[in-house]
Amino acid sequence: MSEQLITAITTQLQAVVDPYTKSALTAGRALTNVKVTDQSIAINLTKGYPVSEQIHASLAQLAVDALQGLDLQGRDVQLLVQQDILSHSAQQGVRGVDGVKNIIAVASGKGGVGKSTVAANLALALAAAGAQVAVLDADIYGPSQPRMLGIQGKPEALDNKMLLPMQNHQLKIMSIGFLVEEDTPMIWRGPMVTQALEQMLRGTDWANDGQDVDYLIIDLPPGTGDIQLTLSQKVPVSGAVIVTTPQDIALLDARKAYKMFDKVSVPVFGVIENMSTHVCTQCGHEEAIFGAHGAQKMADEYDLELLGEIPLEMAIRELADSGTPTVVAEPTSKTAARYRDIALRIAGKLSIKKKDFSSKFPNIVVENS
């Protein structure tokens, strides 16, 4: 009887759609155990994205609802959801980064669309969900993450000349902004810029505290120039996210950013529409002052997912300027909830990508006898 019930439970759970991966709740061998006793039913799931208490509760509710039609004979249902965030494949032939499992690039193609603010809040949302997260500020000419994430000072140099990442809000951060004065212009040519990016990426001891980074968020500068080319050729990027505003002029450059990633075989997880609507601070009225559904049109055009829409709010700007972005300053707000939902959608889409097991194999050295 218990074997039949286990089969029925498994079948029911296979029909449940995971809200973050958009695939079956049990896909990818996520269902690790179903145990039936006279008094209870214990179900174990292992997901490849962060599972906070809130996410655990929502997944548990989905599973319990799916079993409502079964005759469980009064047994209590106990669901345990664990996270196991693995490394995923990137561009072929690109060496991995020590201490980093996955790299996600946040790009826009155009400046002024709020990409850095979105990147900071997404990183904070992933950390709040239970992941080990780091941020690399790749905008050499205009670094903004030190101010947005409320960090001052210079990183410590270790004996092996590696740098320790700065830390705040449960994030590890590296930026050229820590190495130069805030008002010092970076008057560098392309080769110096790309060298600086590589040095910050591979010259930072991301796992010095013994914790590998699950997600390294790279805040890219606008455009499709040297930094982006270096990223595609020398940095193992698991996937990218495009940030745009609704108006046509921003979407022109967002399309270029997508096509750049497409040409260098970096998958794009989807599009985020920032400043989607303006929220009045007096009455709360929302108005699409920059146009409506622009990101959705782009997503439809390239068969991408619209990951979410972020409103234009004064509080978002004020909190980022103060070094405490929305996700940490107002965690219960509707806007913070939007950031969290987008971050989990990205992590979910990454979790069903091909795994990278290269780090599991030993290096083979052939020596002449």
Side-chain angles (χ1 to χ4, degrees), residues 175-321:
S175 169
I176 197 71
F178 297 137
L179 306 175
V180 298
E181 296 299 326
E182 191 175 47
D183 59 352
T184 300
M186 304 303 296
I187 309 173
W188 288 356
R189 293 189 183 275
M192 295 178 67
V193 172
T194 56
Q195 184 179 357
L197 173 64
E198 289 189 76
Q199 182 63 34
M200 288 193 300
L201 178 68
R202 300 191 184 277
T204 299
D205 194 345
W206 296 107
N208 181 266
D209 59 356
Q211 297 283 341
D212 282 351
V213 171
D214 295 317
Y215 307 105
L216 172 61
I217 306 298
I218 297 187
D219 179 16
L220 285 176
T224 53
D226 291 323
I227 291 285
Q228 289 81 2
L229 185 60
T230 298
L231 192 81
S232 63
Q233 293 177 333
K234 299 182 179 181
V235 179
V237 181
S238 303
V241 179
I242 307 296
V243 179
T244 185
T245 50
Q247 68 264 48
D248 291 342
I249 196 68
L251 289 164
L252 286 174
D253 289 332
R255 288 184 173 91
K256 293 176 184 175
Y258 165 74
K259 290 182 179 179
M260 175 197 69
F261 287 121
D262 187 51
K263 285 185 177 181
V264 298
S265 301
V266 172
V268 175
F269 294 132
V271 185
I272 300 171
E273 185 173 275
N274 198 31
M275 308 182 198
S276 180
T277 57
H278 172 255
V279 180
C280 177
T281 57
Q282 300 299 317
C283 66
H285 173 69
E286 288 194 41
E287 186 177 4
I289 60 175
F290 293 135
H293 311 304
Q296 183 65 69
K297 294 173 184 175
M298 175 183 166
D300 293 341
E301 183 179 352
Y302 296 112
D303 194 24
L304 298 171
E305 181 179 346
L306 176 62
L307 295 167
E309 299 171 330
I310 306 297
L312 175 63
E313 291 180 329
M314 185 181 296
I316 295 177
R317 191 272 304 167
E318 291 174 338
L319 294 171
D321 283 351

Side-chain angles (χ1 to χ4, degrees), residues 6 8-19 21-34 43-47 49 59 63 66-67 79 352:
I6 289 173
I9 291 170
T10 302
T11 300
Q12 291 295 102
L13 292 178
Q14 287 173 341
V16 179
V17 176
D18 186 308
T21 65
K22 303 301 182 183
S23 59
L25 188 64
T26 59
R29 300 180 181 179
L31 183 62
T32 54
N33 186 49
V34 178
I43 302 170
N44 293 77
L45 290 171
T46 300
K47 307 302 293 185
Y49 54 77
L59 295 179
L67 303 181
L79 183 73
I352 58 176

